[in-house]
Amino acid sequence: MLKRLDQRVALVTGAGRGIGAAIARRLATEGAALVLVDRDADALAALAQAMRADGQQALPVVADVTDRAQVEALMAQVNDACGGLDILVNNAGIIRDGLLAKLSDADWDQVLAVNLKGPFLCCQAALPLLRQRERSRIVNIASRAWLGNIGQANYAASKGGVVSLTRTLALELARYRINVNAVAPGLIDTPMTRAMPAAARERLLRMQPTGEMGTAEDIAAAVAFLAGPDARFITGQVLHVDGGKSCGLLAL
Ligand SMILES: NC(=O)c1ccc[n+]([C@@H]2O[C@H](COP(=O)([O-])OP(=O)(O)OC[C@H]3O[C@@H](n4cnc5c(N)ncnc54)[C@H](O)[C@@H]3O)[C@@H](O)[C@H]2O)c1
């Protein structure tokens, strides 16, 4: 039976674990051939091996999305191996949390480099590949935090930048029939949030309308929708997948 993403080539950054790994798995289940990108070589190799064991196509490429030369080499490799790209998912991201007075230059620069410059570099280098295909897609992983989050001035600013990048590229790339959308996850159970201090996690959980964390698979499902044929006429949008948190604050 034909699957929704058969014949499509998809690249996911930060695919080594967490949300990125779940997105890669989901897109492969839908029939896409996957390019897995991360700076963690061991995690990538393990995921690629597991996917291949399940009969899925997975090409692991170690690259740091903040480095223009590495990103350009990555896209050249994808072009040689796959002859173009249908779906680019900019998922790699980091947190370096702290209140304003405590944030260092490094906290600011590293978060902006990975979360915002990374998607810029990947979109720019992937554009010639995306243009070789019909109706290709970019899905950027933002965060509900783009609306504001105490202790995350750097992270929220980076994700607000991702939303602006998404909306602008949706306009610029519409002429090529490239749809550009963002998914804004709320609190999701991944190694990133498991590394938070327990008190911070508890506080965030209390602010969840549903009282529960989301799963990486919840985000992967939204990405699969935006990458698939049903989202043909959707571009420049931010899909919040956050259990309702973006609707406002709960009375605590
Ligand atoms: N977990 C959440 O609650 C949550 C909420 C909102 C948004 N997000 C966003 O979802 C995305 C994935 O988050 P996660 O929770 O899975 O994180 P994670 O820390 O579990 O995984 C991130 C992956 O990105 C990779 N990575 C980091 N910097 C990189 C770089 N410079 N180049 C290449 N790879 C790099 C890491 O090696 C890791 O494999 C991020 O953009 C994050 O901001 C997460």
Side-chain angles (χ1 to χ4, degrees):
M1 200 179 72
L2 208 61
K3 294 179 181 168
R4 291 196 307 169
L5 298 180
D6 270 341
Q7 313 295 328
R8 307 286 266 176
V9 176
L11 185 156
V12 181
T13 69
R17 68 182 200 187
I19 291 171
I23 294 169
R25 279 291 203 170
R26 174 65 189 253
L27 298 182
T29 303
E30 304 258 4
L34 261 293
V35 181
L36 311 171
V37 179
D38 206 291
R39 60 184 176 188
D40 182 342
D42 293 342
L44 268 193
L47 177 64
Q49 193 179 25
M51 289 178 67
R52 287 176 185 151
D54 289 344
Q56 299 173 338
Q57 293 182 66
L59 171 67
V61 183
V62 178
D64 181 334
V65 298
T66 67
D67 185 312
R68 173 176 286 280
Q70 290 187 39
V71 170
E72 288 180 352
L74 157 70
M75 295 306 170
Q77 189 178 341
V78 174
N79 204 25
D80 289 348
C82 311
L85 183 66
D86 300 283
I87 299 160
L88 168 65
V89 183
N90 287 304
N91 163 80
I94 60 169
I95 47 174
R96 297 283 183 274
D97 294 352
L99 295 172
L100 178 63
K102 293 272 174 67
L103 281 181
S104 67
D105 285 8
D107 293 333
W108 181 270
D109 292 345
Q110 286 169 12
V111 167
L112 269 289
V114 178
N115 297 6
L116 186 54
K117 189 176 180 191
F120 157 65
L121 290 176
C122 289
C123 287
Q124 193 177 60
L127 182 57
L129 285 74
L130 293 165
R131 286 186 60 185
Q132 290 172 37
R133 302 299 185 109
E134 296 289 319
R135 295 196 171 276
S136 37
R137 306 289 167 85
I138 297 173
V139 183
N140 296 320
I141 305 303
S143 168
R144 189 228 57 94
W146 81 279
L147 296 166
N149 229 13
I150 289 173
Q152 290 195 318
N154 51 355
Y155 184 74
S158 74
K159 296 300 189 178
V162 167
V163 169
S164 296
L165 180 72
T166 299
R167 291 167 58 94
T168 298
L169 294 189
L171 293 171
E172 284 191 19
L173 305 187
R175 73 182 66 177
Y176 308 123
R177 298 286 184 271
I178 299 173
N179 296 25
V180 189
N181 291 292
V183 172
L187 189 61
I188 308 297
D189 186 21
T190 70
M192 179 189 271
T193 46
R194 276 173 230 145
M196 284 177 165
R201 263 169 66 101
E202 288 300 316
R203 190 176 58 80
L204 289 170
L205 206 48
R206 279 200 304 278
M207 290 158 63
Q208 277 296 119
T210 57
E212 62 181 356
M213 295 180 92
T215 67
E217 288 72 27
D218 290 327
I219 305 308
V223 172
F225 164 67
L226 291 171
D230 291 339
R232 189 190 70 89
F233 204 52
I234 300 174
T235 194
Q237 302 305 305
V238 182
L239 178 53
H240 289 91
V241 182
D242 64 357
K245 195 174 169 194
S246 52
C247 297
L249 278 180
L250 285 178
L252 295 176

